[in-house]
């Protein structure tokens, strides 16, 4: 494969010079090349493994691979947190395969076993393919390692063979939760011999999903102990802050961390790019910036014409298809159909053979451009890219570097471009490059002690084995008070042998580890009755309300009717030229204040709240421009959520000193709320859709003007708590984002929100700036030292 045609800086110069784009480049960061650092495999690694690794072209491991293998072979739990394409999988596969080969020589007929967990089936399939390459390179030495996938796609006739004979089982947390742990007696020989548990891409286990997975792993450890095994946990993560601490919270065990990356890296040029304002007007007459999707399609077109092998990361499946289609149309006009065919889309929903064909075509050079969702981010092996475009900030710095790292493999130079969406966080980042390039990546936020997460897993654990006092420490401090509550609800019954599950149905089936609780809503094709999929109950009102445009496996549907009584959304296939965004109204009640800090006369608080929310309408937005085409009213019932929140209050005296008039206060507080929601993902590993907010000129529980930001999941997900801990930095960044925006009265790049239930009215940009300044003037609490 040929290297980048020109140095990445020269490629960027051509992109900015074309069509007068010089003013769109806000910053360029040059990351120097880094040489490789090598080490020797630990003596405990079997020679057959070293021979197989040499057979795939690796003479010696990099330092972090050897370090991780050494820790694992000594019996320590370990997390490898190094960059994209740094060979993390070899760091854990070497000790795993050595142990499995050792086990084949033991008196135990089953031998040692390993369980591999990945967040997606595609990643597990990719890992199985890599194992096949190692086995082939080993020239028969690794044939005794019996590796097999065990997921929803595994034929039933093969599942019994996997249970009885496989030594390395590749699955996902969902299958472990629903398929393996409830049937643990059938997996007894596998669990009894379990030496290693690999948790791949562990940085993806965050928020409520991560909290569920943490409890699933505790249930696994409990059953292993029942069968006499104590497996070592090996975790792989994108670069993250405090990876050992996060991995420990996920597994409930002490975990050593390996963070010094020994792999080589070519020179990288990382550009920050802001699309221009258009002549279109959005809500309340606000200016509309050109969409990141349209801008990415233009840049991809130019890169392909320049024969620069490129990938565009887009946040949605439909967005990926749009970028590919627009680029194909423009390439056909500029260079003919043959060139247009060198661009494709890559997303979830494709068959494995379709994905593999795309990867081969990109690797060979047949394809020059790919528009992809994060399905390509999670470890899928696509080598030799020259440039990466990110159509919008992916949500965390960890994901940013994971995606950008797809370019520049094998020491090549690489170009990465972050294209800002019309969003407060994206706008802030492209104008504050230090927040990306001078800050460590985030710590992963998860809360295994959340009672709304823990309670159903205690029921599932009791159904697997009765819960006893010895389990209290394993499941955490919230366990003891929860057990009597579950007994009062008739879910558990206490007997001399412990707490037992009382129902006939399977306890695990009641827990959707990727959802927010409640019965999932089925999505059914109206004319055929075919079940397309489900959405969790918590998001059904906003995602599959009547009239919503819903995407499923690359196809677009319009919701004909949402039947809440039967938990069914009837849909018709359609191709509307717009997307839909639900609008809601929200009220909030303070239940408990856990922590309170004085910021001068102002107050910063964290605690439990009850949120009442009602979806009242939805907007239609034009796909490419984001222009609002209209609003439709909805009649849906209100829903109540008990969760965690951070809030701050200011006094009337402060408002007078700041010159904020009573009639200005609602718009100022509302604008500050919107902007702070937009900026919180910079400090907590969340998306703005994971959190919500309410601003009230006079809240009945505080008696003061108050702004709330809350977790959008029952019991909380840890995001609001992280906001409280870093409030000075967070609200300081919010103020900076509003102040720096070039609009006059407020726009989607600073204070407008795409999900505002009040149609972004009232909003007062100048008032928000004064309000935040008076708040931060007295900041002495958490995070204030950074101001």
């Amino acid at each position: 494969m040929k290297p980048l045609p020109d140095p990445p800086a020269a490629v960027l110069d051509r992109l900015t010079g074309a069509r007068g784009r010089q003013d769109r480049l806000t910053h360029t960061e040059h990351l120097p090349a880094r040489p490789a650092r090598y080490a020797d495999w630990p003596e405990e690694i079997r020679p057959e493994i070293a021979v197989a690794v040499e057979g795939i072209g690796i003479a010696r491991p990099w330092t972090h691979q050897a370090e991780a293998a050494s820790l694992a072979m000594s019996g320590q739990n370990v997390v490898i947190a190094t960059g994209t394409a740094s060979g993390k999988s070899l760091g854990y596969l070497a000790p795993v395969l050595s142990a499995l080969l050792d086990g084949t020589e033991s008196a135990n007929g089953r031998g040692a076993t390993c369980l591999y967990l990945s967040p997606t089936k595609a990643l597990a399939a990719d890992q199985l393919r890599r194992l096949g390459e190692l086995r082939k390179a080993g020239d028969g030495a690794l044939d005794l390692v019996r590796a097999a996938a065990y997921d929803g796609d595994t034929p039933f006739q093969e599942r019994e063979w996997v249970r009885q004979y496989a030594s390395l089982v590749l699955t996902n947390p969902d299958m472990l939760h629903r398929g393996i742990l409830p049937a643990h007696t059938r997996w007894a020989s596998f669990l009894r011999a379990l030496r290693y548990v690999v948790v791949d891409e562990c940085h993806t286990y965050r928020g409520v999903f991560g909290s569920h997975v943490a409890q699933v792993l505790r249930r696994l450890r409990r059953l292993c102990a029942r069968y006499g095994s104590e497996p070592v946990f090996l975790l792989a993560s994108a670069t993250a802050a405090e990876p050992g601490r996060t991995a420990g919270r996920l597994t409930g065990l002490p975990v050593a961390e390996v963070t010094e990356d020994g792999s080589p890296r070519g020179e990288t040029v990382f550009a920050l790019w802001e699309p221009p304002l258009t002549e279109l007007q959005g809500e309340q007459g606000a200016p509309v910036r050109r969409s990141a999707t349209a801008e990415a399609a233009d840049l991809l077109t130019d890169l392909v014409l320049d024969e620069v092998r490129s990938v565009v990361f887009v946040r949605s499946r439909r967005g990926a298809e749009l970028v590919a289609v627009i680029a194909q149309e423009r390439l056909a006009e500029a260079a003919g159909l043959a060139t247009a065919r060198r661009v494709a889309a890559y997303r979830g929903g494709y068959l494995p053979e379709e994905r593999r064909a795309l990867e081969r075509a990109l690797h060979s050079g047949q394809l020059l451009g790919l528009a992809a969702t994060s399905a390509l981010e999670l470890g899928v092996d696509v080598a030799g890219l020259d440039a990466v475009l990110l159509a919008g900030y992916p949500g965390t710095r960890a994901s940013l570097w994971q995606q950008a790292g797809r370019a520049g493999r094998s020491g090549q130079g690489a170009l990465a471009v972050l294209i800002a969406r019309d969003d407060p966080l994206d706008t802030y980042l492209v104008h504050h490059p230090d927040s990306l390039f001078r800050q460590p990546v985030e710590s992963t936020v998860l809360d295994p002690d959340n009672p709304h997460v823990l309670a159903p897993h205690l029921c599932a654990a009791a159904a697997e084995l009765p819960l006893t006092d010895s389990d209290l420490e394993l499941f955490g401090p919230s366990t003891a008070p929860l057990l009597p509550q579950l007994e009062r609800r008739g879910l558990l019954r206490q007997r001399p042998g412990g707490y037992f599950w009382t129902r006939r149905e399977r306890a695990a089936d009641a827990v959707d580890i990727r959802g927010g609780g409640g019965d999932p809503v089925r999505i059914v094709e109206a004319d055929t009755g075919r079940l397309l999929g489900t959405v969790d109950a918590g998001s059904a009102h906003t995602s599959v309300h009547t009239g919503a445009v819903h995407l499923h496996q690359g196809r677009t549907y319009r919701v004909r009717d949402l039947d809440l009584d039967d938990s069914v959304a009837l849909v018709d296939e359609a191709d509307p030229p717009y997307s839909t965004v639900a609008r809601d109204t929200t009220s909030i009640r303070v239940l408990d204040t856990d922590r309170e800090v004085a910021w001068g006369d102002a107050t910063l608080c964290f605690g439990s709240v009850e949120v009442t929310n009602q979806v009242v309408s939805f907007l239609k937005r034009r796909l490419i421009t984001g222009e609002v085409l209209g609003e439709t009213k909805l009649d849906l019932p209100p829903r109540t959520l008990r969760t965690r929140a951070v809030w701050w209050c200011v006094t009337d005296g402060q408002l007078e000193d700041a010159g904020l008039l009573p009639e200005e206060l609602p718009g100022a507080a509302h604008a500050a709320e919107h902007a702070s929601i937009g900026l919180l993902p910079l400090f907590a590993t969340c998306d703005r859709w994971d959190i919500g907010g309410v601003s009230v000129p006079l809240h009945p529980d505080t008696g003061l003007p108050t702004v709330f930001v809350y977790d959008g999941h029952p019991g909380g997900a840890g995001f609001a708590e992280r906001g409280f801990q870093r409030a000075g930095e967070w609200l300081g960044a919010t103020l900076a984002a509003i102040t720096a925006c070039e609009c006059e009265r407020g726009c989607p790049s600073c204070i407008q929100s795409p999900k505002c239930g009040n149609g972004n009215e009232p909003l007062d940009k100048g008032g928000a700036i004064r309000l935040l300044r008076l708040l931060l003037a007295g900041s002495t609490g958490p995070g204030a030292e950074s101001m």
Side-chain angles (χ1 to χ4, degrees):
M1 178 180 297
K2 67 178 184 178
L4 186 65
D6 287 306
V11 177
L12 179 62
D13 286 343
R14 287 199 291 275
L15 282 182
T16 54
R19 311 179 200 180
R21 297 185 182 127
Q22 291 87 347
D23 60 338
R24 304 180 193 184
L25 189 64
T26 62
H27 178 79
T28 305
E29 189 78 13
H30 294 267
L31 306 174
R34 179 185 65 206
R37 291 183 293 119
Y38 296 97
D40 295 322
W41 286 118
E43 292 181 0
E44 298 88 347
I45 295 293
R46 297 268 299 221
E48 298 96 322
I49 306 303
V51 169
V53 171
E54 285 185 22
I56 60 172
I58 300 172
R60 296 177 68 200
W62 291 317
T63 51
H64 63 277
Q65 295 171 326
E67 181 186 358
S70 178
L71 289 167
M73 297 297 284
S74 70
Q76 294 188 61
N77 306 299
V78 60
V79 57
I80 315 170
T82 53
T84 308
S86 60
K88 291 185 284 287
S89 60
L90 190 57
Y92 59 70
L93 278 178
V96 164
L97 295 175
S98 281
L100 297 186
L101 287 180
D102 286 342
T104 62
E105 300 171 356
S106 68
N108 178 355
R110 178 66 181 255
T113 61
C114 170
L115 184 69
Y116 169 92
L117 299 172
S118 70
T120 64
K121 289 188 289 186
L123 182 55
D126 197 69
Q127 194 68 226
L128 193 59
R129 180 181 61 82
R130 293 180 187 178
L131 283 165
E133 293 173 354
L134 269 177
R135 180 182 286 110
K136 184 178 180 181
D139 197 23
L142 303 184
D143 288 352
L144 292 174
V145 175
R146 300 179 297 274
Y150 190 86
D151 55 37
D153 295 336
T154 305
F156 281 96
Q157 60 270 24
E158 292 182 18
R159 296 188 179 191
E160 188 61 32
W161 182 92
V162 175
R163 280 191 289 265
Q164 291 187 17
Y165 301 110
S167 53
L168 173 53
V169 174
L170 299 95
T171 187
N172 50 66
D174 312 75
M175 196 66 175
L176 178 62
H177 159 63
R178 289 182 183 268
I180 295 177
L181 299 182
H184 63 90
T185 55
R186 304 180 70 183
W187 287 85
S189 66
F190 180 88
L191 295 173
R192 186 175 296 114
L194 192 60
R195 285 281 304 278
Y196 288 111
V197 176
V198 175
V199 184
D200 207 354
E201 303 290 354
C202 67
H203 63 280
T204 63
Y205 301 124
R206 60 180 188 256
V208 170
F209 178 43
S211 302
H212 277 295
V213 172
Q215 291 300 345
V216 171
L217 294 180
R218 284 158 176 76
R219 285 164 50 203
L220 171 64
R221 289 175 49 211
R222 177 172 178 259
L223 291 176
C224 286
R226 164 67 174 80
Y227 290 106
S229 65
E230 189 177 352
V232 171
F233 280 77
L234 308 179
L235 302 97
S237 170
T239 306
E242 301 180 314
R245 181 178 178 183
T246 300
R249 195 155 178 76
L250 186 65
T251 61
L253 294 165
V255 180
E257 58 183 45
V258 175
T259 58
E260 291 295 323
D261 194 334
S263 63
R265 183 183 68 190
E267 176 202 8
T268 301
V269 173
F270 206 130
L272 304 183
W273 190 282
E274 185 174 42
L277 292 171
T278 68
E279 296 180 355
L280 297 172
Q281 290 188 342
E283 290 181 295
Q284 313 304 325
V288 175
R289 197 169 293 280
R290 191 165 190 257
S291 74
T293 301
E295 196 81 352
D298 278 358
L299 295 180
L300 179 61
T301 300
D302 289 347
L303 287 168
V304 170
L305 289 172
D306 210 10
E307 294 198 358
V308 176
R309 196 162 300 152
S310 310
V311 63
V312 183
F313 281 106
V314 192
R315 289 172 66 94
S316 71
R317 292 175 175 181
R318 186 176 183 89
E321 298 281 5
L322 275 173
V323 168
V325 168
I326 295 169
Q328 287 166 348
E329 291 175 350
R330 292 176 183 169
L331 286 167
E333 294 174 3
L337 287 176
T339 303
R341 293 192 186 102
R342 301 187 74 182
V343 169
Y346 182 110
R347 54 166 176 72
Y350 286 171
L351 297 174
E353 54 268 27
E354 293 175 318
R355 288 201 318 273
R356 296 291 173 246
L358 286 168
E359 292 164 18
R360 287 194 300 270
L362 188 65
H363 185 78
S364 68
Q366 178 185 346
L367 274 181
L368 279 175
L370 205 61
T373 61
S374 60
L376 195 68
E377 173 190 336
L378 293 177
V380 178
D381 186 16
V382 178
L385 293 173
D386 304 321
V388 169
L389 306 176
L390 294 87
Y393 182 60
T396 66
R397 296 185 197 91
S399 288
L400 177 91
W401 293 112
Q402 184 87 342
Q403 293 180 1
R406 286 291 158 207
R409 303 223 175 177
S410 303
Q412 293 177 199
L415 172 66
V417 183
L418 171 61
I419 306 165
R421 290 175 300 151
D422 207 358
D423 174 270
L425 179 54
D426 285 39
T427 302
Y428 176 84
L429 290 172
V430 296
H431 290 283
H432 295 80
D434 284 357
S435 296
L436 288 176
F437 303 116
R438 309 289 178 266
Q439 296 291 329
V441 293
E442 308 87 350
S443 297
T444 302
V445 176
L446 65 149
D447 181 15
D449 297 325
N450 178 344
H452 294 268
V453 170
L454 176 58
H457 284 285
L458 291 176
C459 292
E464 291 154 7
L465 289 173
L467 287 165
T468 66
D469 289 345
S470 62
D471 297 316
L472 297 182
E473 183 178 354
L474 173 66
F475 287 106
S478 301
T479 304
L482 270 178
L483 291 175
Q485 296 179 32
L486 295 171
E487 185 176 24
R488 287 193 295 271
R489 290 165 55 188
L491 298 172
L492 299 181
R493 179 177 300 167
Q494 188 176 23
R495 294 174 179 166
Y499 283 91
F500 288 74
W501 172 246
T502 63
R503 306 292 182 89
R504 290 185 177 180
E505 63 268 23
R506 287 177 13 129
D509 290 342
V511 189
D512 177 9
I513 67 173
R514 295 181 188 260
D519 293 332
V521 173
R522 293 163 292 151
I523 304 169
V524 176
E525 198 167 33
D527 293 337
T528 65
R530 181 167 64 102
L531 178 66
L532 299 177
T534 62
V535 296
D536 63 89
S539 61
H541 286 216
T542 55
S543 62
V544 290
H545 57 75
T546 301
V549 174
H550 179 73
L551 297 175
H552 180 77
Q553 291 192 347
R555 295 182 179 273
T556 306
Y557 298 86
R558 186 186 286 110
V559 179
R560 180 191 296 183
D561 180 57
L562 173 60
D563 187 334
L564 294 173
D565 292 334
D566 290 335
S567 295
V568 173
L570 297 176
V571 302
D572 300 307
E573 191 164 356
D575 190 22
Y578 59 83
S579 60
T580 55
V581 179
R583 287 292 172 80
D584 54 12
T585 59
T586 307
S587 61
I588 196 164
R589 182 164 66 95
V590 177
L591 301 177
D592 293 295
T593 302
D594 293 353
R595 282 175 270 174
E596 184 175 314
V597 176
W599 278 11
D601 291 336
T603 308
L604 177 74
C605 303
F606 171 74
S608 298
V609 297
E610 183 179 80
V611 181
T612 302
N613 173 272
Q614 184 174 19
V615 174
V616 295
S617 66
F618 67 92
L619 295 180
K620 297 178 181 178
R621 290 186 179 274
R622 196 179 298 278
L623 285 174
I624 299 297
T625 64
E627 180 184 1
V628 176
L629 301 177
E631 183 175 6
T632 302
K633 300 296 182 184
L634 292 170
D635 182 20
L636 288 166
R639 294 175 300 165
T640 299
L641 169 73
R642 292 197 170 199
T643 186
R644 309 283 273 169
V646 54
W647 64 93
W648 48 269
C649 316
V650 295
T651 65
D652 292 336
Q654 287 180 293
L655 295 174
E656 289 179 9
D657 292 342
L660 266 173
L661 301 175
E663 58 269 25
E664 296 175 311
L665 181 57
H670 193 197
E673 171 216 326
H674 279 185
S676 62
I677 289 173
L679 268 293
L680 183 55
L682 188 60
F683 303 94
T685 48
C686 64
D687 188 275
R688 71 180 299 157
W689 301 94
D690 291 325
I691 49 181
V694 176
S695 53
V696 186
L698 181 64
H699 193 273
D701 294 330
T702 65
L704 294 168
T706 309
V707 174
F708 295 85
V709 175
Y710 61 87
D711 291 349
H713 300 276
F719 306 137
E721 184 173 18
R722 183 57 56 86
F724 177 81
Q725 292 167 347
R726 302 188 65 182
E729 299 167 89
W730 166 40
L731 296 173
T734 302
L735 173 60
I738 301 174
T739 305
C741 187
E742 60 192 275
C743 72
E744 293 184 10
R745 299 178 52 197
C747 69
S749 293
C750 59
I751 62 173
Q752 288 194 351
S753 169
K755 60 176 186 174
C756 178
N758 296 317
N760 284 300
E761 179 69 24
L763 291 176
D764 186 332
K765 180 178 178 178
I769 291 172
R770 282 179 283 162
L771 182 60
L772 286 167
R773 279 177 177 163
L774 72 88
L775 172 71
L776 289 164
S779 61
T780 57
E785 64 277 1
S786 65
M787 293 303 298

